[in-house]
Amino acid sequence: MSQNFISSQNDLLHLLGLVSEDEIYNAQYNGRSLADIAQANHVDVQKVIDLQLAELTEQLQERLFSGSITPEQYQAHHAELPEIIMRSVYAL
């Protein structure tokens, strides 16, 4: 497991006011979305979206800078991120 993944999970847990990944897993297993979890913990859902967008953008930038994707691939993937994140956060 990469350090960036662990850091992102910790950032999400902190933002949602949760202690463990199990809390997210159990809530999602029981049909709750990240948006539901955020709202239940009085967290603005937009903050969850912004956090995920920043983290995924950083991952794409790392791939671009390492040469594993081209600038064109970066642009294409980056353009898809908002929709992917919205679907993920709202479990669509």
Side-chain angles (χ1 to χ4, degrees), residues 22-60:
D22 288 341
E23 291 177 274
I24 293 176
Y25 174 82
N26 289 331
Q28 290 181 317
Y29 182 80
N30 289 308
R32 296 179 65 207
S33 68
L34 286 175
D36 295 332
I37 299 167
Q39 290 169 344
N41 290 298
H42 309 288
V43 174
D44 182 356
V45 176
Q46 188 60 48
K47 289 183 180 185
V48 175
I49 294 167
D50 292 344
L51 175 65
Q52 290 195 327
L53 181 59
E55 290 172 346
L56 291 175
T57 297
E58 182 179 336
Q59 290 175 14
L60 277 177

PDB file of all heavy atoms in Angstrom, residues 22-60:
ATOM      1  N   ASP A  22     -12.917   1.081   8.788  1.00  0.00           N
ATOM      2  CA  ASP A  22     -14.040   0.161   8.992  1.00  0.00           C
ATOM      3  C   ASP A  22     -15.368   0.909   9.087  1.00  0.00           C
ATOM      4  O   ASP A  22     -16.398   0.396   8.647  1.00  0.00           O
ATOM      5  CB  ASP A  22     -13.841  -0.680  10.255  1.00  0.00           C
ATOM      6  CG  ASP A  22     -12.765  -1.737  10.088  1.00  0.00           C
ATOM      7  OD1 ASP A  22     -12.425  -2.070   8.933  1.00  0.00           O
ATOM      8  OD2 ASP A  22     -12.262  -2.213  11.118  1.00  0.00           O
ATOM      9  N   GLU A  23     -15.339   2.104   9.645  1.00  0.00           N
ATOM     10  CA  GLU A  23     -16.574   2.884   9.749  1.00  0.00           C
ATOM     11  C   GLU A  23     -17.108   3.244   8.358  1.00  0.00           C
ATOM     12  O   GLU A  23     -18.310   3.176   8.115  1.00  0.00           O
ATOM     13  CB  GLU A  23     -16.343   4.154  10.569  1.00  0.00           C
ATOM     14  CG  GLU A  23     -16.082   3.886  12.036  1.00  0.00           C
ATOM     15  CD  GLU A  23     -15.783   5.155  12.793  1.00  0.00           C
ATOM     16  OE1 GLU A  23     -14.602   5.562  12.813  1.00  0.00           O
ATOM     17  OE2 GLU A  23     -16.733   5.733  13.349  1.00  0.00           O
ATOM     18  N   ILE A  24     -16.204   3.610   7.464  1.00  0.00           N
ATOM     19  CA  ILE A  24     -16.612   3.914   6.089  1.00  0.00           C
ATOM     20  C   ILE A  24     -17.096   2.640   5.409  1.00  0.00           C
ATOM     21  O   ILE A  24     -18.154   2.622   4.776  1.00  0.00           O
ATOM     22  CB  ILE A  24     -15.460   4.552   5.283  1.00  0.00           C
ATOM     23  CG1 ILE A  24     -15.127   5.943   5.840  1.00  0.00           C
ATOM     24  CG2 ILE A  24     -15.829   4.649   3.802  1.00  0.00           C
ATOM     25  CD1 ILE A  24     -13.942   6.600   5.180  1.00  0.00           C
ATOM     26  N   TYR A  25     -16.318   1.581   5.542  1.00  0.00           N
ATOM     27  CA  TYR A  25     -16.682   0.308   4.921  1.00  0.00           C
ATOM     28  C   TYR A  25     -18.065  -0.155   5.378  1.00  0.00           C
ATOM     29  O   TYR A  25     -18.911  -0.518   4.559  1.00  0.00           O
ATOM     30  CB  TYR A  25     -15.628  -0.766   5.236  1.00  0.00           C
ATOM     31  CG  TYR A  25     -16.025  -2.124   4.741  1.00  0.00           C
ATOM     32  CD1 TYR A  25     -15.824  -2.479   3.407  1.00  0.00           C
ATOM     33  CD2 TYR A  25     -16.633  -3.049   5.591  1.00  0.00           C
ATOM     34  CE1 TYR A  25     -16.211  -3.730   2.937  1.00  0.00           C
ATOM     35  CE2 TYR A  25     -17.021  -4.298   5.126  1.00  0.00           C
ATOM     36  CZ  TYR A  25     -16.812  -4.632   3.801  1.00  0.00           C
ATOM     37  OH  TYR A  25     -17.211  -5.858   3.339  1.00  0.00           O
ATOM     38  N   ASN A  26     -18.288  -0.143   6.681  1.00  0.00           N
ATOM     39  CA  ASN A  26     -19.568  -0.612   7.216  1.00  0.00           C
ATOM     40  C   ASN A  26     -20.736   0.258   6.756  1.00  0.00           C
ATOM     41  O   ASN A  26     -21.801  -0.262   6.418  1.00  0.00           O
ATOM     42  CB  ASN A  26     -19.520  -0.690   8.744  1.00  0.00           C
ATOM     43  CG  ASN A  26     -18.641  -1.811   9.239  1.00  0.00           C
ATOM     44  OD1 ASN A  26     -18.480  -2.830   8.576  1.00  0.00           O
ATOM     45  ND2 ASN A  26     -18.041  -1.629  10.402  1.00  0.00           N
ATOM     46  N   ALA A  27     -20.523   1.557   6.742  1.00  0.00           N
ATOM     47  CA  ALA A  27     -21.586   2.455   6.287  1.00  0.00           C
ATOM     48  C   ALA A  27     -21.906   2.205   4.812  1.00  0.00           C
ATOM     49  O   ALA A  27     -23.078   2.117   4.422  1.00  0.00           O
ATOM     50  CB  ALA A  27     -21.187   3.920   6.504  1.00  0.00           C
ATOM     51  N   GLN A  28     -20.872   2.059   3.997  1.00  0.00           N
ATOM     52  CA  GLN A  28     -21.108   1.809   2.574  1.00  0.00           C
ATOM     53  C   GLN A  28     -21.701   0.425   2.361  1.00  0.00           C
ATOM     54  O   GLN A  28     -22.556   0.249   1.496  1.00  0.00           O
ATOM     55  CB  GLN A  28     -19.816   2.001   1.777  1.00  0.00           C
ATOM     56  CG  GLN A  28     -19.416   3.468   1.726  1.00  0.00           C
ATOM     57  CD  GLN A  28     -18.150   3.696   0.926  1.00  0.00           C
ATOM     58  OE1 GLN A  28     -17.188   2.961   1.033  1.00  0.00           O
ATOM     59  NE2 GLN A  28     -18.170   4.745   0.124  1.00  0.00           N
ATOM     60  N   TYR A  29     -21.274  -0.543   3.130  1.00  0.00           N
ATOM     61  CA  TYR A  29     -21.835  -1.885   3.033  1.00  0.00           C
ATOM     62  C   TYR A  29     -23.337  -1.858   3.329  1.00  0.00           C
ATOM     63  O   TYR A  29     -24.107  -2.606   2.752  1.00  0.00           O
ATOM     64  CB  TYR A  29     -21.111  -2.821   4.008  1.00  0.00           C
ATOM     65  CG  TYR A  29     -21.598  -4.243   3.954  1.00  0.00           C
ATOM     66  CD1 TYR A  29     -21.153  -5.104   2.947  1.00  0.00           C
ATOM     67  CD2 TYR A  29     -22.508  -4.733   4.888  1.00  0.00           C
ATOM     68  CE1 TYR A  29     -21.595  -6.408   2.883  1.00  0.00           C
ATOM     69  CE2 TYR A  29     -22.963  -6.040   4.834  1.00  0.00           C
ATOM     70  CZ  TYR A  29     -22.504  -6.873   3.828  1.00  0.00           C
ATOM     71  OH  TYR A  29     -22.947  -8.173   3.764  1.00  0.00           O
ATOM     72  N   ASN A  30     -23.733  -0.959   4.219  1.00  0.00           N
ATOM     73  CA  ASN A  30     -25.140  -0.820   4.591  1.00  0.00           C
ATOM     74  C   ASN A  30     -25.892   0.185   3.721  1.00  0.00           C
ATOM     75  O   ASN A  30     -26.979   0.636   4.083  1.00  0.00           O
ATOM     76  CB  ASN A  30     -25.255  -0.448   6.070  1.00  0.00           C
ATOM     77  CG  ASN A  30     -24.877  -1.621   6.960  1.00  0.00           C
ATOM     78  OD1 ASN A  30     -25.400  -2.717   6.812  1.00  0.00           O
ATOM     79  ND2 ASN A  30     -23.942  -1.404   7.875  1.00  0.00           N
ATOM     80  N   GLY A  31     -25.306   0.527   2.565  1.00  0.00           N
ATOM     81  CA  GLY A  31     -26.007   1.334   1.578  1.00  0.00           C
ATOM     82  C   GLY A  31     -25.843   2.838   1.695  1.00  0.00           C
ATOM     83  O   GLY A  31     -26.506   3.583   0.968  1.00  0.00           O
ATOM     84  N   ARG A  32     -24.974   3.299   2.586  1.00  0.00           N
ATOM     85  CA  ARG A  32     -24.778   4.742   2.727  1.00  0.00           C
ATOM     86  C   ARG A  32     -23.636   5.184   1.823  1.00  0.00           C
ATOM     87  O   ARG A  32     -22.632   4.501   1.681  1.00  0.00           O
ATOM     88  CB  ARG A  32     -24.486   5.086   4.178  1.00  0.00           C
ATOM     89  CG  ARG A  32     -25.692   4.755   5.066  1.00  0.00           C
ATOM     90  CD  ARG A  32     -25.461   5.038   6.522  1.00  0.00           C
ATOM     91  NE  ARG A  32     -25.279   6.465   6.735  1.00  0.00           N
ATOM     92  CZ  ARG A  32     -24.567   6.966   7.742  1.00  0.00           C
ATOM     93  NH1 ARG A  32     -23.982   6.170   8.603  1.00  0.00           N
ATOM     94  NH2 ARG A  32     -24.459   8.266   7.883  1.00  0.00           N
ATOM     95  N   SER A  33     -23.791   6.341   1.228  1.00  0.00           N
ATOM     96  CA  SER A  33     -22.749   6.911   0.375  1.00  0.00           C
ATOM     97  C   SER A  33     -21.818   7.776   1.218  1.00  0.00           C
ATOM     98  O   SER A  33     -22.105   8.082   2.377  1.00  0.00           O
ATOM     99  CB  SER A  33     -23.387   7.767  -0.715  1.00  0.00           C
ATOM    100  OG  SER A  33     -23.987   8.922  -0.137  1.00  0.00           O
ATOM    101  N   LEU A  34     -20.712   8.204   0.614  1.00  0.00           N
ATOM    102  CA  LEU A  34     -19.839   9.146   1.304  1.00  0.00           C
ATOM    103  C   LEU A  34     -20.589  10.441   1.612  1.00  0.00           C
ATOM    104  O   LEU A  34     -20.370  11.060   2.653  1.00  0.00           O
ATOM    105  CB  LEU A  34     -18.593   9.449   0.465  1.00  0.00           C
ATOM    106  CG  LEU A  34     -17.546   8.347   0.393  1.00  0.00           C
ATOM    107  CD1 LEU A  34     -16.422   8.740  -0.562  1.00  0.00           C
ATOM    108  CD2 LEU A  34     -16.987   8.023   1.764  1.00  0.00           C
ATOM    109  N   ALA A  35     -21.493  10.834   0.712  1.00  0.00           N
ATOM    110  CA  ALA A  35     -22.304  12.035   0.955  1.00  0.00           C
ATOM    111  C   ALA A  35     -23.187  11.830   2.179  1.00  0.00           C
ATOM    112  O   ALA A  35     -23.319  12.733   3.011  1.00  0.00           O
ATOM    113  CB  ALA A  35     -23.146  12.358  -0.271  1.00  0.00           C
ATOM    114  N   ASP A  36     -23.784  10.653   2.316  1.00  0.00           N
ATOM    115  CA  ASP A  36     -24.609  10.345   3.494  1.00  0.00           C
ATOM    116  C   ASP A  36     -23.776  10.410   4.777  1.00  0.00           C
ATOM    117  O   ASP A  36     -24.220  10.963   5.788  1.00  0.00           O
ATOM    118  CB  ASP A  36     -25.223   8.947   3.394  1.00  0.00           C
ATOM    119  CG  ASP A  36     -26.206   8.791   2.251  1.00  0.00           C
ATOM    120  OD1 ASP A  36     -26.840   9.793   1.853  1.00  0.00           O
ATOM    121  OD2 ASP A  36     -26.339   7.654   1.750  1.00  0.00           O
ATOM    122  N   ILE A  37     -22.582   9.839   4.714  1.00  0.00           N
ATOM    123  CA  ILE A  37     -21.698   9.830   5.880  1.00  0.00           C
ATOM    124  C   ILE A  37     -21.316  11.260   6.256  1.00  0.00           C
ATOM    125  O   ILE A  37     -21.354  11.633   7.433  1.00  0.00           O
ATOM    126  CB  ILE A  37     -20.446   8.976   5.613  1.00  0.00           C
ATOM    127  CG1 ILE A  37     -20.823   7.522   5.333  1.00  0.00           C
ATOM    128  CG2 ILE A  37     -19.457   9.069   6.777  1.00  0.00           C
ATOM    129  CD1 ILE A  37     -19.689   6.685   4.759  1.00  0.00           C
ATOM    130  N   ALA A  38     -20.969  12.056   5.251  1.00  0.00           N
ATOM    131  CA  ALA A  38     -20.600  13.450   5.506  1.00  0.00           C
ATOM    132  C   ALA A  38     -21.760  14.202   6.145  1.00  0.00           C
ATOM    133  O   ALA A  38     -21.588  14.875   7.167  1.00  0.00           O
ATOM    134  CB  ALA A  38     -20.167  14.131   4.204  1.00  0.00           C
ATOM    135  N   GLN A  39     -22.943  14.088   5.566  1.00  0.00           N
ATOM    136  CA  GLN A  39     -24.093  14.801   6.098  1.00  0.00           C
ATOM    137  C   GLN A  39     -24.425  14.359   7.518  1.00  0.00           C
ATOM    138  O   GLN A  39     -24.755  15.196   8.367  1.00  0.00           O
ATOM    139  CB  GLN A  39     -25.297  14.622   5.172  1.00  0.00           C
ATOM    140  CG  GLN A  39     -25.120  15.359   3.862  1.00  0.00           C
ATOM    141  CD  GLN A  39     -26.162  15.002   2.816  1.00  0.00           C
ATOM    142  OE1 GLN A  39     -26.862  14.005   2.932  1.00  0.00           O
ATOM    143  NE2 GLN A  39     -26.242  15.825   1.776  1.00  0.00           N
ATOM    144  N   ALA A  40     -24.301  13.081   7.804  1.00  0.00           N
ATOM    145  CA  ALA A  40     -24.579  12.570   9.150  1.00  0.00           C
ATOM    146  C   ALA A  40     -23.593  13.117  10.175  1.00  0.00           C
ATOM    147  O   ALA A  40     -23.918  13.222  11.360  1.00  0.00           O
ATOM    148  CB  ALA A  40     -24.543  11.040   9.153  1.00  0.00           C
ATOM    149  N   ASN A  41     -22.404  13.487   9.705  1.00  0.00           N
ATOM    150  CA  ASN A  41     -21.371  14.023  10.593  1.00  0.00           C
ATOM    151  C   ASN A  41     -21.221  15.537  10.461  1.00  0.00           C
ATOM    152  O   ASN A  41     -20.204  16.098  10.875  1.00  0.00           O
ATOM    153  CB  ASN A  41     -20.043  13.315  10.329  1.00  0.00           C
ATOM    154  CG  ASN A  41     -20.082  11.886  10.808  1.00  0.00           C
ATOM    155  OD1 ASN A  41     -20.253  11.634  11.991  1.00  0.00           O
ATOM    156  ND2 ASN A  41     -19.984  10.943   9.892  1.00  0.00           N
ATOM    157  N   HIS A  42     -22.232  16.169   9.851  1.00  0.00           N
ATOM    158  CA  HIS A  42     -22.272  17.634   9.714  1.00  0.00           C
ATOM    159  C   HIS A  42     -21.061  18.185   8.958  1.00  0.00           C
ATOM    160  O   HIS A  42     -20.468  19.188   9.356  1.00  0.00           O
ATOM    161  CB  HIS A  42     -22.415  18.308  11.082  1.00  0.00           C
ATOM    162  CG  HIS A  42     -23.536  17.735  11.892  1.00  0.00           C
ATOM    163  ND1 HIS A  42     -24.857  17.960  11.579  1.00  0.00           N
ATOM    164  CD2 HIS A  42     -23.523  16.914  12.975  1.00  0.00           C
ATOM    165  CE1 HIS A  42     -25.625  17.307  12.444  1.00  0.00           C
ATOM    166  NE2 HIS A  42     -24.840  16.656  13.292  1.00  0.00           N
ATOM    167  N   VAL A  43     -20.703  17.484   7.891  1.00  0.00           N
ATOM    168  CA  VAL A  43     -19.589  17.895   7.041  1.00  0.00           C
ATOM    169  C   VAL A  43     -20.154  18.275   5.682  1.00  0.00           C
ATOM    170  O   VAL A  43     -20.987  17.547   5.125  1.00  0.00           O
ATOM    171  CB  VAL A  43     -18.557  16.745   6.882  1.00  0.00           C
ATOM    172  CG1 VAL A  43     -17.472  17.110   5.890  1.00  0.00           C
ATOM    173  CG2 VAL A  43     -17.960  16.379   8.235  1.00  0.00           C
ATOM    174  N   ASP A  44     -19.715  19.393   5.161  1.00  0.00           N
ATOM    175  CA  ASP A  44     -20.134  19.841   3.836  1.00  0.00           C
ATOM    176  C   ASP A  44     -19.642  18.830   2.793  1.00  0.00           C
ATOM    177  O   ASP A  44     -18.432  18.563   2.701  1.00  0.00           O
ATOM    178  CB  ASP A  44     -19.540  21.219   3.562  1.00  0.00           C
ATOM    179  CG  ASP A  44     -19.946  21.815   2.230  1.00  0.00           C
ATOM    180  OD1 ASP A  44     -20.647  21.158   1.437  1.00  0.00           O
ATOM    181  OD2 ASP A  44     -19.550  22.969   1.968  1.00  0.00           O
ATOM    182  N   VAL A  45     -20.552  18.270   2.031  1.00  0.00           N
ATOM    183  CA  VAL A  45     -20.207  17.256   1.025  1.00  0.00           C
ATOM    184  C   VAL A  45     -19.204  17.808   0.016  1.00  0.00           C
ATOM    185  O   VAL A  45     -18.331  17.084  -0.464  1.00  0.00           O
ATOM    186  CB  VAL A  45     -21.475  16.730   0.314  1.00  0.00           C
ATOM    187  CG1 VAL A  45     -21.118  15.757  -0.786  1.00  0.00           C
ATOM    188  CG2 VAL A  45     -22.420  16.096   1.316  1.00  0.00           C
ATOM    189  N   GLN A  46     -19.279  19.094  -0.268  1.00  0.00           N
ATOM    190  CA  GLN A  46     -18.341  19.703  -1.218  1.00  0.00           C
ATOM    191  C   GLN A  46     -16.899  19.548  -0.740  1.00  0.00           C
ATOM    192  O   GLN A  46     -15.989  19.407  -1.552  1.00  0.00           O
ATOM    193  CB  GLN A  46     -18.676  21.178  -1.460  1.00  0.00           C
ATOM    194  CG  GLN A  46     -17.867  21.804  -2.575  1.00  0.00           C
ATOM    195  CD  GLN A  46     -18.071  21.117  -3.924  1.00  0.00           C
ATOM    196  OE1 GLN A  46     -19.206  20.871  -4.327  1.00  0.00           O
ATOM    197  NE2 GLN A  46     -16.986  20.813  -4.620  1.00  0.00           N
ATOM    198  N   LYS A  47     -16.678  19.528   0.564  1.00  0.00           N
ATOM    199  CA  LYS A  47     -15.319  19.337   1.093  1.00  0.00           C
ATOM    200  C   LYS A  47     -14.803  17.935   0.770  1.00  0.00           C
ATOM    201  O   LYS A  47     -13.621  17.762   0.488  1.00  0.00           O
ATOM    202  CB  LYS A  47     -15.289  19.582   2.600  1.00  0.00           C
ATOM    203  CG  LYS A  47     -15.461  21.039   2.968  1.00  0.00           C
ATOM    204  CD  LYS A  47     -15.355  21.249   4.457  1.00  0.00           C
ATOM    205  CE  LYS A  47     -15.523  22.727   4.786  1.00  0.00           C
ATOM    206  NZ  LYS A  47     -15.313  22.988   6.212  1.00  0.00           N
ATOM    207  N   VAL A  48     -15.677  16.959   0.796  1.00  0.00           N
ATOM    208  CA  VAL A  48     -15.292  15.583   0.430  1.00  0.00           C
ATOM    209  C   VAL A  48     -14.934  15.552  -1.055  1.00  0.00           C
ATOM    210  O   VAL A  48     -13.919  14.977  -1.450  1.00  0.00           O
ATOM    211  CB  VAL A  48     -16.423  14.580   0.745  1.00  0.00           C
ATOM    212  CG1 VAL A  48     -16.071  13.186   0.246  1.00  0.00           C
ATOM    213  CG2 VAL A  48     -16.731  14.564   2.234  1.00  0.00           C
ATOM    214  N   ILE A  49     -15.758  16.185  -1.868  1.00  0.00           N
ATOM    215  CA  ILE A  49     -15.510  16.241  -3.310  1.00  0.00           C
ATOM    216  C   ILE A  49     -14.189  16.945  -3.593  1.00  0.00           C
ATOM    217  O   ILE A  49     -13.362  16.460  -4.370  1.00  0.00           O
ATOM    218  CB  ILE A  49     -16.684  16.933  -4.027  1.00  0.00           C
ATOM    219  CG1 ILE A  49     -17.948  16.064  -3.907  1.00  0.00           C
ATOM    220  CG2 ILE A  49     -16.342  17.248  -5.482  1.00  0.00           C
ATOM    221  CD1 ILE A  49     -19.233  16.766  -4.300  1.00  0.00           C
ATOM    222  N   ASP A  50     -13.970  18.094  -2.947  1.00  0.00           N
ATOM    223  CA  ASP A  50     -12.733  18.856  -3.160  1.00  0.00           C
ATOM    224  C   ASP A  50     -11.500  18.053  -2.741  1.00  0.00           C
ATOM    225  O   ASP A  50     -10.480  18.070  -3.435  1.00  0.00           O
ATOM    226  CB  ASP A  50     -12.777  20.176  -2.387  1.00  0.00           C
ATOM    227  CG  ASP A  50     -13.810  21.145  -2.928  1.00  0.00           C
ATOM    228  OD1 ASP A  50     -14.301  20.964  -4.070  1.00  0.00           O
ATOM    229  OD2 ASP A  50     -14.151  22.102  -2.191  1.00  0.00           O
ATOM    230  N   LEU A  51     -11.601  17.341  -1.615  1.00  0.00           N
ATOM    231  CA  LEU A  51     -10.485  16.525  -1.144  1.00  0.00           C
ATOM    232  C   LEU A  51     -10.167  15.428  -2.153  1.00  0.00           C
ATOM    233  O   LEU A  51      -9.005  15.242  -2.531  1.00  0.00           O
ATOM    234  CB  LEU A  51     -10.811  15.903   0.216  1.00  0.00           C
ATOM    235  CG  LEU A  51      -9.778  14.923   0.764  1.00  0.00           C
ATOM    236  CD1 LEU A  51      -8.450  15.632   1.051  1.00  0.00           C
ATOM    237  CD2 LEU A  51     -10.298  14.247   2.027  1.00  0.00           C
ATOM    238  N   GLN A  52     -11.177  14.732  -2.619  1.00  0.00           N
ATOM    239  CA  GLN A  52     -10.931  13.653  -3.577  1.00  0.00           C
ATOM    240  C   GLN A  52     -10.389  14.196  -4.894  1.00  0.00           C
ATOM    241  O   GLN A  52      -9.507  13.597  -5.496  1.00  0.00           O
ATOM    242  CB  GLN A  52     -12.194  12.834  -3.799  1.00  0.00           C
ATOM    243  CG  GLN A  52     -12.544  12.002  -2.583  1.00  0.00           C
ATOM    244  CD  GLN A  52     -13.553  10.924  -2.888  1.00  0.00           C
ATOM    245  OE1 GLN A  52     -14.423  11.084  -3.732  1.00  0.00           O
ATOM    246  NE2 GLN A  52     -13.444   9.814  -2.179  1.00  0.00           N
ATOM    247  N   LEU A  53     -10.898  15.338  -5.340  1.00  0.00           N
ATOM    248  CA  LEU A  53     -10.405  15.942  -6.577  1.00  0.00           C
ATOM    249  C   LEU A  53      -8.931  16.312  -6.430  1.00  0.00           C
ATOM    250  O   LEU A  53      -8.120  16.028  -7.318  1.00  0.00           O
ATOM    251  CB  LEU A  53     -11.240  17.160  -6.967  1.00  0.00           C
ATOM    252  CG  LEU A  53     -10.844  17.859  -8.260  1.00  0.00           C
ATOM    253  CD1 LEU A  53     -10.916  16.902  -9.443  1.00  0.00           C
ATOM    254  CD2 LEU A  53     -11.728  19.073  -8.496  1.00  0.00           C
ATOM    255  N   ALA A  54      -8.571  16.912  -5.312  1.00  0.00           N
ATOM    256  CA  ALA A  54      -7.172  17.295  -5.090  1.00  0.00           C
ATOM    257  C   ALA A  54      -6.268  16.070  -5.057  1.00  0.00           C
ATOM    258  O   ALA A  54      -5.181  16.067  -5.654  1.00  0.00           O
ATOM    259  CB  ALA A  54      -7.052  18.084  -3.787  1.00  0.00           C
ATOM    260  N   GLU A  55      -6.709  15.027  -4.370  1.00  0.00           N
ATOM    261  CA  GLU A  55      -5.880  13.822  -4.254  1.00  0.00           C
ATOM    262  C   GLU A  55      -5.717  13.107  -5.589  1.00  0.00           C
ATOM    263  O   GLU A  55      -4.611  12.685  -5.944  1.00  0.00           O
ATOM    264  CB  GLU A  55      -6.471  12.883  -3.213  1.00  0.00           C
ATOM    265  CG  GLU A  55      -6.330  13.433  -1.807  1.00  0.00           C
ATOM    266  CD  GLU A  55      -7.069  12.643  -0.746  1.00  0.00           C
ATOM    267  OE1 GLU A  55      -7.931  11.807  -1.101  1.00  0.00           O
ATOM    268  OE2 GLU A  55      -6.791  12.863   0.439  1.00  0.00           O
ATOM    269  N   LEU A  56      -6.796  12.989  -6.343  1.00  0.00           N
ATOM    270  CA  LEU A  56      -6.696  12.308  -7.643  1.00  0.00           C
ATOM    271  C   LEU A  56      -5.918  13.143  -8.649  1.00  0.00           C
ATOM    272  O   LEU A  56      -5.190  12.595  -9.478  1.00  0.00           O
ATOM    273  CB  LEU A  56      -8.080  11.948  -8.161  1.00  0.00           C
ATOM    274  CG  LEU A  56      -8.790  10.848  -7.367  1.00  0.00           C
ATOM    275  CD1 LEU A  56     -10.213  10.641  -7.870  1.00  0.00           C
ATOM    276  CD2 LEU A  56      -8.002   9.544  -7.442  1.00  0.00           C
ATOM    277  N   THR A  57      -6.050  14.454  -8.568  1.00  0.00           N
ATOM    278  CA  THR A  57      -5.265  15.332  -9.443  1.00  0.00           C
ATOM    279  C   THR A  57      -3.783  15.174  -9.137  1.00  0.00           C
ATOM    280  O   THR A  57      -2.955  15.085 -10.054  1.00  0.00           O
ATOM    281  CB  THR A  57      -5.706  16.795  -9.280  1.00  0.00           C
ATOM    282  OG1 THR A  57      -7.070  16.918  -9.698  1.00  0.00           O
ATOM    283  CG2 THR A  57      -4.840  17.735 -10.117  1.00  0.00           C
ATOM    284  N   GLU A  58      -3.438  15.101  -7.854  1.00  0.00           N
ATOM    285  CA  GLU A  58      -2.043  14.908  -7.467  1.00  0.00           C
ATOM    286  C   GLU A  58      -1.510  13.577  -7.996  1.00  0.00           C
ATOM    287  O   GLU A  58      -0.386  13.506  -8.507  1.00  0.00           O
ATOM    288  CB  GLU A  58      -1.910  14.956  -5.948  1.00  0.00           C
ATOM    289  CG  GLU A  58      -0.486  14.802  -5.462  1.00  0.00           C
ATOM    290  CD  GLU A  58      -0.368  14.866  -3.954  1.00  0.00           C
ATOM    291  OE1 GLU A  58      -1.244  15.449  -3.288  1.00  0.00           O
ATOM    292  OE2 GLU A  58       0.617  14.308  -3.442  1.00  0.00           O
ATOM    293  N   GLN A  59      -2.313  12.525  -7.916  1.00  0.00           N
ATOM    294  CA  GLN A  59      -1.886  11.229  -8.443  1.00  0.00           C
ATOM    295  C   GLN A  59      -1.662  11.289  -9.949  1.00  0.00           C
ATOM    296  O   GLN A  59      -0.681  10.735 -10.462  1.00  0.00           O
ATOM    297  CB  GLN A  59      -2.916  10.156  -8.102  1.00  0.00           C
ATOM    298  CG  GLN A  59      -2.967   9.800  -6.640  1.00  0.00           C
ATOM    299  CD  GLN A  59      -4.084   8.821  -6.308  1.00  0.00           C
ATOM    300  OE1 GLN A  59      -4.671   8.204  -7.194  1.00  0.00           O
ATOM    301  NE2 GLN A  59      -4.391   8.690  -5.035  1.00  0.00           N
ATOM    302  N   LEU A  60      -2.554  11.969 -10.649  1.00  0.00           N
ATOM    303  CA  LEU A  60      -2.376  12.116 -12.105  1.00  0.00           C
ATOM    304  C   LEU A  60      -1.118  12.913 -12.420  1.00  0.00           C
ATOM    305  O   LEU A  60      -0.377  12.572 -13.352  1.00  0.00           O
ATOM    306  CB  LEU A  60      -3.586  12.811 -12.728  1.00  0.00           C
ATOM    307  CG  LEU A  60      -4.788  11.957 -13.054  1.00  0.00           C
ATOM    308  CD1 LEU A  60      -5.922  12.828 -13.595  1.00  0.00           C
ATOM    309  CD2 LEU A  60      -4.440  10.868 -14.052  1.00  0.00           C
TER     310      LEU A  60
END
